[in-house]
Structure formats: structure tokens, C-alpha cells
Amino acid sequence: MALPPAPASVVAAEEKASGAHQRSHARTPKHPRHHGSFKLFLSIAPFLLLVVLFSYLPLLGWVYSLFDFRPARGLANSEFVGLQWFRMLVQSPTQLHQILRVLANTLGMSFLGIATSVLPLGFAVLLNEIQAKWFKNLVQTLTTLPNFISWVLVYMIAFALFSSTGMVNSTMLSLGLIDVPIKFLDSESHVWLKMTAWGLWKGLGWGSIMYLAAISGIDQSLYESAKVDGAGRFRTMWSITIPQLLPTYFVLLMLSVANILNNGMEQYYVFQNAFNKEHIEVLDLYVYNIGMGGNNLSLATAISMLKSLISVALLLTVNGLSKRLRGTSLI
């Protein structure tokens, strides 16, 4: 049975309401989320510009590796030699020997740094267990301050303490413990261990900050449940704190492996001398010595370019391993 037609007033009211609903939709922005995303992009745009200026724009300098560049002549008047410098790295026995020596120093110190990377984690765990807040803040401050000291000042401290006329040798000579000053700085023995020790002294407190931040984010109910079960402080550290910090540690470890060729040069530059140069010259310092000391900017650019490409390959490899083993990627 068919329904009777609706009154005209009812139909007019429905049409009016439908028109108002459509107009309200027309006034509503179609993509409010996109508008907010654009504002967020504008807020980070200055930082992206700095990254482009200081990280990507200098890559245009890789073109110097294709020329026999001489600063006095400029790039436009320098001879184009193609891949000559790259071929020389593998065809010249002398150059190949130097590269292998430098790589051995670089990898040796990097592996020592990776082996000692667990020490900031242990230091953070032990520091977190200090009950006296003032003492905890004092220790954290004193161990973090060396990070803000330049390597030039660090070498001045090392020279004042460990040179032939430094405090350590003078004290040992006055006590009759030694007859001849020990050459701590101008010696080729145990150079890798010395550099690792100085780097650890400078970065231990700073490296523990990230772990302390991770500790503050651990669910406190885990500690309360452990105390109810009768667990002591060492048991809670071993069973709760350390396992909760392991994901952070593995991420930092993988990043360290990806940057295994990037030792920096400041530390090794100030500590190098004629006695330890064979064992302290890492890849970054070698590039500096060739480019600035040997006045061969083209060869230094070629070596630096290969180092960057290998570092990117290592980063992608470590990222793939992280995604396969942990289910999450680094980049």
C-alpha cells in the first residue's frame, strides 16, 4: 500500500536543511590535518636548511677528486684526470701499504671503542643506585665535564701529568721508583690502549646520560613487584634495569658499527708525534695530513669520498640486520 505524499511544508523544510548541511560542509576545510602538517614543516625548515648547507652542499667538493687540483690555479684551470687518484690507491704499492696501515689503526681503535661501549651503561646503572642525591649529582657533574673540554686542553693535562718532566715522572723519580723517566706520550707502545683510555675518560659521563634518561622511563611497578618478591638491589639491577636498557644499547652499538671508519681527528692530531705516528694515524687524520700537510687535496678528497661511501654501505647493512633481528630499523 503506497504512503500518502508528504505535505509541501515538510518537503520545503527538508530541502532547506539539506542545503544548510551542504553549505556547512563547504565552509569546513577539506584537509585540516594537511594545514597542521604544513605548519610543523615550517617549524623544522630552518634546521633542514642547516643540514643541507653543512651536510649535503659540501658533497659538491667531491668533484675535486676528478682533477689535479692546485689552489693557485683554481678548479677551472686544473687538469682533469678522471679516476687517476682512485686507481693510484690500489695500484701504487706504497700508497696501498699506507692505506692498509691506516685502516688497521682505524679499525683497531674503533673495535676497542665498541668493546668499551658497555662501560657507560654500567656506569649509569651504578650511578642510578646512589641514594644520596647530592653525591649522585656531584659524580654526574664531575664525569660529564670532561666532554666539554677541548682535546687541546686534554693534551695539556696529559703533558703536565705524563711528560718526561711531568708530575707522575717527577714523583716516581723523587721516590726512587724509577731511574729514567717513562715515556708515556712519546712512545709507540700501547698507543691504541692509551687513546681508548683518554677517550673513555672524556666521554664516560656524557655517554651515560642517555642510559640515565632511559632508566627514568622504566615502569616503577616492576621495581615494586621485585621488592615484594624479596629481590635485592643487585637482583633488580640485573633482572630489571639492565634488560630494560639493552634495546637502547643495541641501537647505539649498531650506530657505532656503522660509523666504524669515523674516528674523528682532533684527539689523534694533538697526541701525534714522530714516535707514535705509525700507530696513531687513523683515516680521518691521514686525510688531513695528505690534504693539508702534503698539499694533495685531490687525493685526500678521493680517500674521504671512498670512506663516506663505505660508511653509508655499513649503515644500510646494519639497518638491514636490525630490521631482520629486532623487527625495527634504524633509519
Side-chain angles (χ1 to χ4, degrees), residues 218-229 240:
I218 298 177
D219 189 0
Q220 295 301 312
S221 62
L222 297 175
Y223 293 101
E224 295 173 359
S225 300
K227 291 180 180 179
V228 171
D229 293 337
I240 298 177

Coordinates of all heavy atoms in Angstrom, one line a residue, residues 218-229 240:
I218 N 61.7 3.7 32.9 CA 61.3 2.3 33.2 C 60.1 2.4 34.2 O 60.0 3.2 35.1 CB 62.5 1.6 33.9 CG1 63.7 1.5 32.9 CG2 62.1 0.2 34.3 CD1 64.9 0.8 33.5
D219 N 59.2 1.5 34.0 CA 58.0 1.4 34.8 C 58.4 1.0 36.2 O 59.0 0.0 36.5 CB 57.0 0.3 34.2 CG 55.7 0.3 34.9 OD1 55.5 1.1 35.8 OD2 54.8 -0.5 34.5
Q220 N 58.0 1.9 37.2 CA 58.4 1.7 38.6 C 57.7 0.5 39.2 O 58.1 0.0 40.2 CB 58.1 3.0 39.4 CG 59.0 4.2 39.0 CD 60.4 3.9 39.1 OE1 60.9 3.4 40.1 NE2 61.2 4.2 38.0
S221 N 56.6 0.1 38.6 CA 55.8 -1.0 39.2 C 56.7 -2.3 39.1 O 56.5 -3.2 39.9 CB 54.5 -1.2 38.5 OG 54.7 -1.5 37.1
L222 N 57.6 -2.4 38.1 CA 58.5 -3.5 38.0 C 59.4 -3.6 39.3 O 59.6 -4.7 39.8 CB 59.3 -3.4 36.8 CG 58.6 -3.4 35.4 CD1 59.5 -3.2 34.3 CD2 57.8 -4.8 35.3
Y223 N 59.9 -2.5 39.7 CA 60.8 -2.5 40.9 C 59.9 -2.8 42.2 O 60.4 -3.5 43.1 CB 61.4 -1.1 41.1 CG 62.4 -0.8 40.0 CD1 62.1 0.0 38.9 CD2 63.7 -1.4 40.0 CE1 63.1 0.3 37.9 CE2 64.7 -1.1 39.1 CZ 64.3 -0.3 38.0 OH 65.2 0.0 37.0
E224 N 58.7 -2.3 42.2 CA 57.9 -2.6 43.4 C 57.5 -4.0 43.5 O 57.5 -4.6 44.6 CB 56.6 -1.7 43.3 CG 56.9 -0.2 43.4 CD 55.7 0.6 43.1 OE1 54.6 0.0 42.9 OE2 55.7 1.9 43.2
S225 N 57.2 -4.6 42.3 CA 56.9 -6.1 42.3 C 58.1 -6.9 42.7 O 58.0 -7.9 43.4 CB 56.4 -6.5 40.9 OG 55.3 -5.8 40.5
A226 N 59.3 -6.5 42.2 CA 60.5 -7.2 42.6 C 60.8 -7.1 44.1 O 61.2 -8.1 44.7 CB 61.7 -6.6 41.8
K227 N 60.6 -5.9 44.7 CA 60.7 -5.8 46.1 C 59.8 -6.6 46.9 O 60.1 -7.2 48.0 CB 60.6 -4.3 46.5 CG 61.7 -3.4 46.0 CD 61.5 -2.0 46.5 CE 62.7 -1.1 46.0 NZ 62.5 0.3 46.4
V228 N 58.5 -6.7 46.4 CA 57.5 -7.6 47.1 C 58.0 -9.0 47.1 O 57.8 -9.8 48.0 CB 56.2 -7.4 46.4 CG1 55.2 -8.5 47.0 CG2 55.6 -6.0 46.7
D229 N 58.6 -9.4 46.0 CA 59.1 -10.8 45.8 C 60.4 -11.1 46.6 O 61.0 -12.2 46.5 CB 59.3 -11.2 44.3 CG 58.0 -11.2 43.6 OD1 56.9 -11.4 44.3 OD2 58.0 -11.0 42.4
I240 N 66.0 -6.3 36.0 CA 65.1 -5.3 35.5 C 65.8 -4.1 34.8 O 65.5 -3.9 33.6 CB 64.3 -4.7 36.7 CG1 63.4 -5.8 37.4 CG2 63.4 -3.5 36.2 CD1 62.7 -5.3 38.6

